[in-house]
Amino acid sequence: MKRRRYLRGAGAAGLVGLAGCLGGAGGGGETPTGTGTPTGMATPTGATTGTDMPGGTLTIATYASFTGKGTAGTWLKGQFEAEHPGVTVSFVTPENGVNQYIQRAKQGAPIDADLYVGVNTGELVRADRELDASLFAPVESQLDRASTVKPNLRIDPKGRAIPYDTGYISLVYDAHQVDAPGTFDALLTPAYENALITENAQQSDTGRAFLLWTVIAKGENGYLDYWSSLVDNGVKVLSDWEPAYNAWLDGEAPIVVSYSTDQVYYHGQGVDLQKHQVGFLDGQGYANPEAMALFADSPNADLGRRFMDFALRPDAQAGIAVRNVEFPAVEGVDPGPEFTKYAFEPPKPVTFTYDQLAGHLSGWVDAWARQIATK
Amino acid sequence: MTAATRRAERLALPAGLALTLGVLLVVFYFPVGRVLAEAVVRAGRLTLGPLLAVLRDPFYTGAAAGLLRDPLGVPAGVLGWLRAGAPPPRLGLFGFTAYQAALSTLASVALGLPGAYLLARYEFRGRATLRSLTILPFVLPSIMVAVGFLAMFGQRGTLNDVLRGLGLGPVHLLFTLQVIVLAHAFYNAPLVTRLVSAAWETVDRRRLEAARSLGASPAAAFRDVVLPAVRPALLTAALLTFLFTFMSFPIVLALGGLRLATVEVWLYARVQDLRLGEAATLATIETAFTLGLTYVYLRYEARQAASRAGGEPPARRPLFDGWATLRDPRRLGLLAYGAVVIVVFVGPLVSLLVESVTGPGGGFTTAYYHFLADQQLAAAAGTVKPLPAIRNSLVFGVGTLLVAVPMGVVVSLVATRGGRGSRLAEALLSAPLAVSGIVVGLGLLQSFVFGTTVFGVRLVLVGPVAIVAAHAVAAYPFVARNVTPALADLDPRLAEAARSLGATRLRSLTDVELPLVAGALLAGAAFAFAISLGEFSATVVLAEGVKSVTMPVALERYIGNRSIGPSLGPATAMGTVLLLVTAVSFVAIDRLGGRWAP
């Protein structure tokens, strides 16, 4: 597809290295202003060209859409294998994601994978809640580049899960029909009656992020009242992102809870960007970092850590961002002007840390779901 | 016939029963039992606490929670309720789930029954093809139904376009209970049509003529001859519809939203959060209800006097009869029904086809089919390719038929044998109908994919054989449900005569009884094939990588694929392929099968 090629071109441009564009987009907390340009952007040095490296297979468990034609996973595999002769990267994509490995560990079944790519904070909390021994090994102190990850994305105090990219959950709205609400409270006004579609926090990443965002905005003791008013104003809570976004595209409501990268998919000739406006609330957007983690019993721990360091390299970060349509997790990486122009970072990114979610997440989600579904 | 052959034939049925039970034990009872056992175990101890806690919680059981919480307060509660003017009682999650399932069943019967009448009693061009196509909704993944419904019944959908053109106001159907009931009818009315029309076609013309010649009015003849013949099929269809819609899950949230959540939605959320004990508690209550209902139904069915079907069906009337068509109220009624069918069934299906060639801007595009071709030609590992998915679906479908049809027939024999406990046995053997697909998938994951240690060896069972076994277990109850009433209706003297002439039980079955119920057998086999084509939750658990993906699994992977933008376009293209492959398969099955049927 044309759009696809376009983006790929943008990815190559990222190698030239225009630092600082991204971090400065929203006037956010950590503007690198050029200083953050890591060395070695133009040349994939890393210098890990396999001399000290035994061959072998690195098995990466991930979600299905990370692999296959034209994806970040396939691209990473090609790059990593080219730099590490004798190494093969293979992907497994269990339907139930990281739950599969939590359950395997619980039952004493073999893990059969070295790395998990795509774990988020909530899943990490769940894994620790379910298991006595940690599913993942601490790696942060052993990675050369872990310190380059943006501080506000570092989700794991135990240094196991290392973010490689992040999405910002925001509103996406049709400006022909509504103005940007701007604040959480505005969504309760008659102007936004029946205007919002979101997703079920019990099963959808975006839906959960939006719910947690309301917990941040309205407080642990206030979010349920807020939702009660939201329901009175006609919010729709659909199963998952795809049906919700599809209903929004078909005009069932003018606003949907989605990603702040929405326009990256739509810019180009003849596209009406007014229909794809990104709206933050109270100046915030909820960061949903995706992280990678090394399984505690991986027999290829060294190779796994090399892959993680590789994925944090600026060229790899730009490549992931463009192909996964998510923001880089590392400071000062530039995925290219096209991405930067159409992907918006919230002025005030917010997210719950591991410590804040542990012990609370299930309770918050349950209370919310019960309130919505009570009949 | 040699003695050895006879001995083999005599052993065939007991061996078949043993094999059926073996497959069920391994693929169903063990994995499902393992999941459900969690319901009554907390911290290594047996307890009924969690079950009672759910039953006492008004969120789950509504007003009925009071029965368990405060039995002595019930009379006062009822009095207070009456004084308040008997408002609708609080339903709770279970009550609401049953309520929407009951409404969905009524709607499915109302929309399916005229179709059965039309297909059984009228002749028109394309009747056989239309009949074959009634299976299509059955195999469609729910997200595709959601896409079709949105395009047909949404604010900017076709229906509202037409209504606006006629100067009528738009209807707001989405996110309502009505649209869920309609979507359930979309799935299940074809089930009613297929099952009932198969039974209707076995009504003996001579009995009908005899009734009329004895002075019975057409209505009385219908009541006394036709109704008893179609009632078992109708009730079976209604039961299946109720069970399916009781355990319906993705379509509820995709079209209705969380406010209209069902038990299955809650069950899934518990599984997602790995609170498997809570999930098992909900699943156990759900299964106790669905299985109990199945048992009660089977008791009822067995008490019905057999109607002795068989014989020559009455000739079909032509549907169109020149201008006289417009004077015949029945034909006019059928034409009106046709209009409803176009809106409810054809509309969403055609909308899906249209969506698969419509770009984000509304213009024509072939991009989504190019996407499929690109995936097919891609070299990258992990790419889900459409052609192997089609091949796998067909191979698994045929495999399912080969396993499920004998299993279903064996179960039917058990069910019609009579005697003590045979209803209970039948109900237990029908359990795959009554257990949530989420629970089956979880059980297969824990037992097959993670492996089970037997005598110190970890056995892992995934891939094609496991998939076919899981499909067969999901499918055989359909064969049994179709064949059992038909076998029960057969004159037992037929089989007795064959046996007294020296035929073994197997011979009597294959040479005498099964040919007489070929229609029912074929209807069951068709459903078995359709179940396999549409099955998702077990397949996705048991598929090894991208090697053994089927069409619904490929479709689901394309939903998550954003390589050409956040669009369901690629999935709709794959959905169209799924519909075409299914349509061609079923036209072929019905044509081929039609040659064997009497």
Side-chain angles (χ1 to χ4, degrees):
Chain A
M1 289 308 296
K2 196 172 168 196
R3 194 182 299 130
R4 199 59 232 159
R5 277 202 293 276
Y6 199 52
L7 288 174
R8 215 168 270 153
L15 296 177
V16 180
L18 296 158
C21 290
L22 192 63
E30 68 291 325
T31 314
T33 57
T35 50
T37 315
T39 52
M41 261 197 145
T43 46
T45 53
T48 43
T49 344
T51 45
D52 57 333
M53 199 70 220
T57 298
L58 182 71
T59 306
I60 297 179
T62 185
Y63 50 96
S65 63
F66 197 72
T67 66
K69 184 174 184 280
T71 57
T74 298
W75 180 79
L76 283 171
K77 169 182 158 75
Q79 300 286 312
F80 191 72
E81 285 175 352
E83 292 177 23
H84 298 81
V87 170
T88 306
V89 174
S90 79
F91 291 106
V92 284
T93 56
E95 174 67 7
N96 56 345
V98 78
N99 276 359
Q100 162 112 194
Y101 296 98
I102 303 173
Q103 287 171 279
R104 278 178 179 270
K106 226 175 166 179
Q107 271 191 35
I111 297 288
D112 294 338
D114 300 305
L115 277 183
Y116 192 89
V117 169
V119 64
N120 64 32
T121 320
E123 289 165 338
L124 200 61
V125 167
R126 186 190 302 147
D128 288 342
R129 185 194 73 201
E130 291 294 318
L131 299 171
D132 298 328
S134 178
L135 186 60
F136 301 117
V139 289
E140 197 173 67
S141 58
Q142 293 157 279
L143 297 184
D144 296 340
R145 297 182 180 274
S147 59
T148 63
V149 172
K150 293 177 185 174
N152 64 347
L153 296 183
R154 293 182 195 166
I155 55 170
D156 184 7
K158 295 173 187 159
R160 299 160 299 174
I162 308 296
Y164 58 88
D165 70 15
T166 188
Y168 292 103
I169 308 307
S170 68
L171 303 183
V172 172
Y173 65 97
D174 180 351
H176 293 301
Q177 292 191 55
V178 288
D179 296 325
T183 64
F184 277 100
D185 290 336
L187 284 174
L188 305 180
T189 60
Y192 296 96
E193 193 179 354
N194 294 323
L196 179 63
I197 300 177
T198 184
E199 301 89 12
N200 183 5
Q202 294 175 310
Q203 64 188 84
S204 149
D205 280 348
T206 43
R208 176 169 309 165
F210 185 61
L211 172 64
L212 293 176
W213 190 7
T214 63
V215 177
I216 288 179
K218 298 294 167 187
E220 196 178 351
N221 298 318
Y223 81 102
L224 288 177
D225 288 339
Y226 177 74
W227 273 94
S228 165
S229 308
L230 213 49
V231 167
D232 289 344
N233 213 29
V235 67
K236 311 291 186 295
V237 185
L238 300 194
S239 51
D240 218 336
W241 182 83
E242 282 87 4
Y245 194 81
N246 197 45
W248 173 78
L249 278 180
D250 276 10
E252 288 302 321
I255 312 178
V256 65
V257 171
S258 187
Y259 297 95
S260 68
T261 48
D262 191 68
Q263 289 185 5
V264 174
Y265 290 110
Y266 290 100
H267 68 276
Q269 282 194 331
V271 177
D272 180 5
L273 279 184
Q274 285 296 100
K275 284 185 184 167
H276 291 273
Q277 290 299 303
V278 171
F280 298 116
L281 294 173
D282 300 346
Q284 303 170 348
Y286 191 90
N288 194 24
E290 294 188 295
M292 50 195 168
L294 181 72
F295 284 109
D297 64 352
S298 162
N300 298 312
D302 189 36
L303 194 56
R305 283 190 293 265
R306 275 179 193 250
F307 185 89
M308 292 167 97
D309 250 334
F310 161 78
L312 294 178
R313 220 164 62 189
D315 58 325
Q317 280 285 297
I320 295 171
V322 167
R323 285 168 186 79
N324 229 14
V325 196
E326 298 264 17
F327 290 89
V330 163
E331 300 252 24
V333 169
D334 178 22
E338 292 306 324
F339 184 93
T340 309
K341 184 173 174 193
Y342 294 104
F344 301 100
E345 258 186 318
K348 287 181 276 181
V350 294
T351 196
F352 272 118
T353 63
Y354 174 94
D355 289 328
Q356 289 165 319
L357 283 186
H360 293 111
L361 180 58
S362 292
W364 286 340
V365 173
D366 270 2
W368 169 84
R370 268 189 176 236
Q371 177 174 307
I372 304 273
T374 288
K375 47 208 151 216
Chain B
M1 197 187 302
T2 67
T5 326
R6 281 190 68 87
R7 198 176 315 124
E9 285 185 3
R10 219 174 284 135
L11 284 175
L13 287 177
L17 181 60
L19 265 175
T20 298
L21 290 176
V23 170
L24 279 178
L25 202 65
V26 172
V27 184
F28 183 76
Y29 291 110
F30 172 66
V32 166
R34 192 171 162 169
V35 173
L36 295 186
E38 299 258 324
V40 288
V41 178
R42 287 292 181 282
R45 287 186 172 188
L46 277 179
T47 168
L48 287 178
L51 280 171
L52 291 174
V54 166
L55 292 174
R56 283 188 188 129
D57 183 344
F59 172 75
Y60 290 112
T61 49
L67 295 175
L68 275 169
R69 261 151 105 89
D70 180 19
L72 296 176
V74 169
V78 170
L79 218 59
W81 175 69
L82 287 174
R83 271 202 210 105
R90 198 180 155 188
L91 289 170
L93 198 60
F94 278 95
F96 174 77
T97 304
Y99 172 65
Q100 64 80 26
L103 290 181
S104 299
T105 306
L106 284 177
S108 303
V109 168
L111 279 172
L113 211 46
Y117 172 63
L118 174 72
L119 287 175
R121 299 293 300 114
Y122 287 87
E123 193 55 74
F124 52 94
R125 263 180 78 104
R127 190 189 69 87
T129 309
L130 182 67
R131 200 196 146 113
S132 302
L133 296 183
T134 54
I135 203 78
L136 286 182
F138 210 68
V139 299
L140 210 55
S142 56
I143 182 122
M144 290 296 102
V145 175
V147 169
F149 264 57
L150 202 58
M152 186 66 199
F153 301 114
Q155 307 241 27
R156 297 181 192 164
T158 313
L159 180 69
N160 274 328
D161 286 349
V162 171
L163 288 178
R164 268 189 288 265
L166 296 172
L168 302 165
V171 288
H172 300 287
L173 267 176
L174 245 59
F175 319 123
T176 62
L177 179 59
Q178 288 90 319
V179 82
I180 292 177
V181 168
L182 201 63
H184 283 160
F186 174 83
Y187 269 117
N188 294 295
L191 184 86
V192 176
T193 299
R194 283 186 85 90
L195 288 182
V196 174
S197 68
W200 209 315
E201 283 167 358
T202 65
V203 172
D204 191 345
R205 178 170 63 92
R206 286 163 306 179
R207 285 169 57 86
L208 209 52
E209 283 164 1
R212 294 299 306 280
S213 68
L214 290 170
S217 68
F222 177 84
R223 191 190 63 218
D224 295 339
V225 179
V226 178
L227 204 56
V230 302
R231 189 165 47 204
L234 178 61
L235 288 172
T236 293
L239 173 79
L240 292 175
T241 301
F242 187 88
L243 294 181
F244 286 153
T245 53
F246 188 83
M247 296 187 290
S248 166
F249 153 54
I251 197 74
V252 172
L253 281 191
L255 284 172
L258 188 61
R259 277 160 67 82
L260 299 166
T262 56
V263 178
E264 202 76 348
V265 169
W266 239 245
L267 176 54
Y268 181 71
R270 297 292 163 284
V271 172
Q272 287 283 90
D273 200 24
L274 292 181
R275 283 140 67 191
L276 302 184
E278 291 174 46
T281 304
L282 292 179
T284 301
I285 297 171
E286 199 183 51
T287 304
F289 179 69
T290 49
L291 210 55
L293 191 73
T294 307
Y295 176 68
V296 168
Y297 167 75
L298 292 174
R299 295 277 308 235
Y300 167 81
E301 183 187 83
R303 275 209 307 274
Q304 296 299 303
S307 66
R308 301 280 174 269
E312 194 189 337
R316 293 192 186 91
R317 275 170 280 178
L319 179 59
F320 298 105
D321 186 18
W323 285 109
T325 308
L326 295 177
R327 287 198 301 272
D328 177 7
R330 279 193 224 176
R331 288 192 171 92
L332 280 180
L334 286 173
L335 290 180
Y337 173 70
V340 173
V341 165
I342 286 174
V343 173
V344 177
F345 298 96
V346 180
L349 288 174
V350 170
S351 298
L352 186 61
L353 308 193
V354 172
E355 289 288 307
S356 76
V357 290
T358 307
F364 175 80
T365 179
T366 54
Y368 308 138
Y369 292 94
H370 282 152
F371 169 90
L372 292 188
D374 277 354
Q375 299 295 306
Q376 182 59 37
L377 298 174
T383 306
V384 173
K385 302 185 176 192
L387 289 182
I390 295 172
R391 190 199 58 220
N392 286 340
S393 279
L394 293 175
V395 169
F396 297 161
V398 171
T400 300
L401 269 188
L402 295 178
V403 181
V405 169
M407 279 175 81
V409 169
V410 165
V411 170
S412 288
L413 288 177
V414 172
T416 51
R417 190 182 50 89
R420 284 166 62 88
S422 71
R423 290 292 81 72
L424 190 62
E426 194 186 355
L428 288 177
L429 288 170
S430 306
L433 287 174
V435 172
S436 138
I438 295 169
V439 169
V440 176
L442 181 61
L444 291 174
L445 180 72
Q446 292 182 343
S447 302
F448 281 27
V449 180
F450 297 170
T452 301
T453 310
V454 181
F455 301 119
V457 183
R458 180 167 285 276
L459 297 177
V460 173
L461 187 56
V462 291
V465 172
I467 292 174
V468 167
H471 286 192
V473 165
Y476 84 87
F478 280 84
V479 179
R481 276 287 77 231
N482 275 276
V483 172
T484 303
L487 271 186
D489 283 1
L490 278 186
D491 193 333
R493 284 168 299 183
L494 286 171
E496 282 160 19
R499 297 294 300 277
S500 71
L501 290 170
T504 60
R505 183 74 191 87
L506 182 71
R507 280 270 159 213
S508 148
L509 181 71
T510 55
D511 294 2
V512 179
E513 293 160 77
L514 288 185
L516 285 173
V517 298
L521 195 62
L522 203 68
F527 274 115
F529 192 72
I531 293 268
S532 174
L533 282 186
E535 212 289 332
F536 174 76
S537 55
T539 315
V540 79
V541 166
L542 297 171
E544 312 160 282
V546 295
K547 264 188 314 202
S548 39
V549 301
T550 58
M551 289 188 281
V553 176
L555 190 153
E556 193 258 358
R557 291 286 149 93
Y558 297 156
I559 287 171
N561 188 317
R562 299 196 192 148
S563 64
I564 59 170
S567 156
L568 289 175
T572 58
M574 191 65 212
T576 304
V577 170
L578 170 65
L579 284 178
L580 285 179
V581 172
T582 308
V584 170
S585 307
F586 272 82
V587 169
I589 287 178
D590 285 351
R591 293 277 147 88
L592 275 174
R595 294 200 192 140
W596 299 328

